Structure formats: structure tokens, C-alpha cells
Amino acid sequence: MPSEVTPERVATIAASARVSLNATAAECVASAVNPTVARFAAEKINLPIEIEPSTFTVVARGEIRR
Amino acid sequence: VTDPATLTLVEVASAIRDRQLSSVEVTGALLKRIALWQPVLNAFVRVDGEEALVAAAEADAAILAGSGRLPLQGVPLAHKDMFYLTGKLAECGSKIRKGWVAPTTSTAIARLQSAGAIRLGALHMAEFAYGPTGHNQHLGPARNPWDPHRITGGSSSGSGAAVAARLAYAALGSDTGGSIRLPAHFCGVTGFKPTYGRVSRANAMPLSFSLDTVGVLALSAEDCALIGAIITGADPLDPTTDGAPAWNMTATRYPPNEITVGVPRAFYVNDLEPDVAKVLDEALVTLRKLGTHVVEVDLPDQTAVSAAALIVLAVEATSQHSAWLRERPTDYGDQVRARLHNGLAYSAVEYLEALRWRGPALAAHLAASSNVDIILAPVSRTAAPTIKETDIGGGPSAEVAIQGITRFMRPINYLGLPVLALPAGESRSGMPIGLQLIGRPFGDERVIALGRAFQSATDYHRRMPKLSDAHS
């Protein structure tokens, strides 16, 4: 997974979402989100394929009995 | 009883039920206060005074007839302008929803109405609840009752200001990235963000469906317990509440000497302004006096959790707003539009990986804090900054500034934990400073219990701003 967001990548995703975004805005977005993307990528998360979003609910509900 | 404004929610509800005060007297007193404070605070977006007085008269009649013993019988409340009520405007702090009339009623509002509450009107909020300061390009900023040159915090800006100025006994808010806790901290009131899935979000405006939590701002932990008992519980309209435990009021009186509090060794204690660090230290002294066990705790790296929260929030908010972002982009304020654009930067794989990691991240958090019931942390590095210095618009520095304000907020939403944010001291300039009592999932009653104990030993939650201060 790339850990750097480029204005080109932002423009591509915006186009696929059919949202109009000029070059200046794409550059601004890339600059704003880069630290977040880099920090998340640095965590090098390798999740087992069995993990899905609702795993969160299972873990949280496990505390009800505590 | 002399001045109804000095009473808490629990006290006024009892006074009305026991006919020491009438609902009409109480509602009228608050409407007078609203007329005086509103020009200073900009806390309300609409006041429905006549309707409130009619409802108050009906409540009094029911009490006289012996049929009105509901928990909130005749108690006037007001709510963030994003909780739908059939036939009423719900403009969500926006231009896009200007004039929008809700076709249905949110579950939280319906439950409060069933408990006898009266509605005074609708409260200021950040545009679409997507802002942490209380600024709003369309409405102007909400102002802090302790110093109107300073921010209220957001996005439940009007809720924080109105409760602090005693214009409503409690106010619903929502918390996706700190939107209840920040106004509680900056305005000096008590904010309760329940466990994700404990309170129905049905027919409240969504921002990020994985993180949104409906909660309340009030004067005390005891007040939050009363509202919690009414609004929590399963709701077929919100599947995330399925199987959630019923509210246990007895557990909100759990003894503090049987509670272990963990103080993080890192992240939440880094780079605090001296005033906030001092309040944290003093709170630990108070908790130890109450018999609470205090230990240090090493939490997993919160910066990674925070990054995951930002990704989930950004993508879900942009997804919710995608149609308007295509069709009406110029109708958003600059900062909200810029933040919605940020959600376009993430790939689907990044978003889903952030969402899939939530369970393992929560498991790691619970394992690291297995020996504690509650984690004590600041809400923010500072007391309320000025409106001027936080008027950052949508420029390139906005995201950095926003992330600074919400730094101690985001991990909690990502992990879905219950929190009570309560006033615990004040800055050298007299602004309130709050702290977070962060519980384990579904440990909502336990955080309320510790908050009650803390507030039995302190009086910060009883302090009341004066209109003369606001005019100075």
C-alpha cells in the first residue's frame, strides 16, 4: 500500500466518485491527509482474513459480562 | 426554592413533581434567561417559547390531576439542531438543509418526550456536526458563557453554551470525534458519551455511522445518569443497539473505593499546558481521597488508533455527503467542504483495513488496561482558546489545527468507549477545564459512578457564569 498520497491519486478518486475537484484542491487534500496515511501505513497492520468490521462488536460485547 | 436556574436536572425534576415549582414557572424563568443570554451566546437557532409554555401548562395540569409522575415531567430541555422531530425544522447548522422539515422523530427525542420532557427549541451546532470549535460560517460562532470571546467547542456548541448558562437543564448532543466532550470541557459542564451501540442514533443526522454516538450535556453526572436511563436501550430502528444491556441505575452508585483508575504514561499526558496538567494532578489527589485505586497504565500507541479513526471518519462523512458534494458544493462552508474533500483521498482498501482493525485494536486496548476500570485523561491540551485564533477557515492549515484540538478525542470514538467529561478545575484566566473518565465497553454506569463520587467532593460542576462577566 503506498504511504504517500499524491494530488494525482486524489484527483483520480474524486473523478471516480464524480466529485469535481480542481488541481489546487487536490494538492491541498494530499497535503492534509498525508500524515494520517503515513502513520496508518507505518503500523504495518497484517490482519487475518477472518477479521471483519463486525469483529469490533464481538470484542465490545465481550465486556458486557465483566 | 428561589431561582430555578440554580437547580440541576434531577433537582428541578423532583421540584416540579413535588409541586414545589410549577413547570410553567420553571419554563418561564428559562425563557427569560434565554432572552437575556441569546444575544451574547448565539446558543439557540430557534426558540419555541409559546409551545413550551403550553406544554408546561399541560404538564402542571397532569401533576395536579395526579397523572403526571414521569421522570422528566414538565422539565424544559433543548437539543442540538440535528435530532429530528416530526414537523419541525432540523437544519443541522447548514445552508443545504435550511428550511428542511423532519418527516419523523428521532428515537432519543421520542424517549425524552415519553418521559415528560418539554422542548424549548433547537441549539446551535457546527455545520453537519463536522467541526470541533463552535465556528459556523452560516450561523456565526456560538460563544462561551464564561468569556464570549472564546469558543464553546463543537460540534455540540449550542448544547454546551446553553447548559453552562443555565438556559436548559440538559441538551442532547452527538459525539463522533469529541463533539460532546469538547463543549463540556470548554464550557464547564458534564458531558456523557455512551458506549457505541448503547443509545439509538435513529433519525439523528448521521456523520460517520461507525463512530456516531448520541449522548447528553448536563450539569452533573447524576443528571447524565437520569438521561442515560431514558435514552439507552435497544431500538429496532438502530441495529447497533441490538442486545445492548438495559440501564442499571444501581450501578451508577458503585463505590469509588472499589474502582481502579489508570493514568496513561504517554500520549494523554504529553504537551499539556500547565493549567491542564495541574488540574489532572489535583483530580488524582481527589480520587485518592475518595479511596479510588490509582495506577499507571501503558496503552497501545494512540497515534495509530487516531489515524485509523481519521480515515474512518473522513471516508464515511464524504460518503454520506457525496450527493450534495456533487450537486451543491458551494453551499458548504469552506472548512466543511475542505474536510469532505479530504475523504476523497483514501482508497477503499485503506478504509476497510481501518475498519477491520477496530476489533483487534479494541482487544489490544482492553488487554493493556485489563487491571483498570476507568482511564483518566484530559479532554484537551488547553482551556478554551479565543474565537479569533481558531477562525481557521478551510485553508491548508485547517486540518492540522483541527487534529490538534481533537487529539485526545478520536481514539475513544474509534474504540467505541463510554466517557464522562466533567469539570475538574479552571485555568488562571478562569476558564473551565474538564477531564475524561474513559470506561470499558458497556461500563457506562461505572464512569457515571466515579463522576458522581468526584462531584460529591468538588464543586466545579456547580459554578455558574454571570451575564455581567459575559458583557465585560
Side-chain angles (χ1 to χ4, degrees):
Chain A
M1 185 188 305
S3 59
E4 189 182 356
V5 177
T6 62
E8 292 74 26
R9 167 174 143 168
V10 175
T12 302
I13 298 177
S16 71
R18 292 175 283 123
V19 173
S20 172
L21 201 66
N22 63 37
T24 308
E27 203 163 312
C28 188
V29 169
S31 161
V33 306
N34 253 322
T36 301
V37 171
R39 178 63 195 91
F40 191 60
E43 198 63 17
K44 297 192 188 326
I45 294 165
N46 276 315
L47 297 170
I49 61 168
E50 293 82 6
I51 299 292
E52 58 173 290
S54 65
T55 305
F56 166 75
T57 305
V58 175
V59 176
R61 296 289 168 95
E63 285 283 309
I64 291 176
R65 291 180 299 277
R66 183 180 154 108
Chain B
V1 177
T2 50
D3 182 1
T6 62
L7 301 177
T8 66
L9 174 74
V10 168
E11 290 164 350
V12 80
S14 169
I16 291 172
R17 271 198 312 272
D18 297 342
R19 295 172 55 190
Q20 293 167 359
L21 283 170
S22 73
S23 176
V24 168
E25 278 177 274
V26 168
T27 304
L30 290 200
L31 289 170
K32 279 183 189 159
R33 286 184 71 82
I34 292 168
L36 292 171
W37 278 91
Q38 173 64 11
V40 178
L41 301 181
N42 194 24
F44 278 77
V45 290
R46 289 179 300 284
V47 179
D48 294 327
E50 285 183 23
E51 271 183 45
L53 286 169
V54 168
E58 289 170 359
D60 286 336
I63 290 168
L64 274 174
S67 58
R69 297 289 297 174
L70 296 168
L72 294 177
Q73 187 84 40
V75 176
L77 309 179
H79 308 296
K80 190 175 183 177
D81 193 24
M82 55 166 275
F83 291 95
Y84 305 165
L85 176 59
T86 303
K88 293 287 183 187
L89 292 170
E91 296 179 321
C92 306
S94 70
K95 181 178 177 183
I96 287 176
R97 274 208 158 164
K98 186 85 185 156
W100 187 75
V101 176
T104 185
T105 297
S106 69
T107 298
I109 293 284
R111 288 178 176 176
L112 291 172
Q113 284 182 326
S114 297
I118 286 174
R119 179 180 167 278
L120 289 166
L123 297 169
H124 185 283
M125 60 183 283
E127 182 181 4
F128 289 119
Y130 209 11
T133 57
H135 284 274
N136 184 309
Q137 197 168 317
H138 311 296
L139 303 172
R143 294 177 179 274
N144 194 308
W146 295 94
D147 177 352
H149 302 293
R150 294 181 185 271
I151 65 166
T152 55
S155 62
S156 308
S157 37
S159 302
V163 172
R166 310 306 201 260
L167 311 183
Y169 290 100
L172 288 179
S174 65
D175 194 317
T176 306
S179 289
I180 287 173
R181 292 164 286 158
L182 289 167
H185 161 73
F186 290 133
C187 294
V189 300
T190 305
F192 173 44
K193 175 220 164 295
T195 300
Y196 179 82
R198 196 87 198 262
V199 177
S200 173
R201 304 155 305 149
N203 297 313
M205 183 213 76
L207 175 61
S208 165
F209 43 81
S210 297
L211 307 175
D212 290 342
T213 317
V214 169
V216 66
L217 294 100
L219 290 180
S220 70
E222 189 180 35
D223 290 350
C224 292
L226 175 55
I227 297 289
I230 293 163
I231 64 173
T232 55
D235 174 16
L237 297 177
D238 181 353
T240 66
T241 61
D242 186 34
W247 188 256
N248 181 349
M249 193 58 96
T250 306
T252 67
R253 297 184 182 278
Y254 199 81
N257 61 358
E258 292 182 26
I259 294 176
T260 301
V261 165
V263 183
R265 282 188 223 267
F267 188 74
Y268 293 101
V269 292
N270 298 343
D271 306 322
L272 301 180
E273 287 210 340
D275 286 343
V276 175
K278 181 167 169 275
V279 166
L280 185 60
D281 289 342
E282 288 170 353
L284 286 170
V285 172
T286 302
L287 290 173
R288 286 193 175 102
K289 279 185 188 165
L290 289 165
T292 306
H293 307 283
V294 178
V295 298
E296 289 190 310
V297 61
D298 290 305
L299 297 175
D301 188 336
Q302 299 287 285
T303 62
V305 178
S306 191
L310 276 168
I311 294 170
V312 171
L313 168 61
V315 175
E316 292 185 359
T318 302
S319 165
Q320 304 276 111
H321 283 267
S322 57
W324 287 328
L325 211 44
R326 289 179 200 119
E327 293 159 13
R328 305 180 61 180
T330 57
D331 286 342
Y332 287 102
D334 295 338
Q335 187 180 101
V336 172
R337 186 176 55 251
R339 296 190 77 192
L340 290 171
H341 282 162
N342 288 347
L344 296 165
Y346 301 103
S347 71
V349 171
E350 282 165 335
Y351 165 67
L352 286 168
E353 196 155 52
L355 211 50
R356 290 174 64 227
W357 189 49
R358 209 175 171 201
L362 176 59
H365 172 90
L366 295 175
S369 58
S370 61
N371 60 332
V372 307
D373 302 294
I374 288 168
I375 291 165
L376 180 69
V379 177
S380 178
R381 288 181 53 248
T382 68
T386 64
I387 288 172
K388 193 175 174 186
E389 66 195 339
T390 52
D391 191 9
I392 45 181
S397 61
E399 189 61 27
V400 174
I402 288 166
Q403 289 186 23
I405 293 167
T406 58
R407 181 179 175 195
F408 299 150
M409 304 285 97
R410 293 185 302 271
I412 313 306
N413 294 89
Y414 183 72
L415 300 173
L417 304 172
V419 184
L420 191 74
L422 77 181
E426 60 185 29
S427 69
R428 279 161 293 178
S429 56
M431 295 305 292
I433 292 175
L435 295 175
Q436 300 188 82
L437 304 178
I438 305 164
R440 302 177 74 83
F442 301 99
D444 305 65
E445 290 90 339
R446 194 70 61 92
V447 299
I448 297 272
L450 191 62
R452 287 176 93 136
F454 185 84
Q455 291 181 335
S456 72
T458 61
D459 71 351
Y460 298 109
H461 63 295
R462 288 278 185 183
R463 295 185 184 180
M464 190 167 159
K466 293 186 178 73
L467 194 55
S468 55
D469 297 339
H471 278 303
S472 63

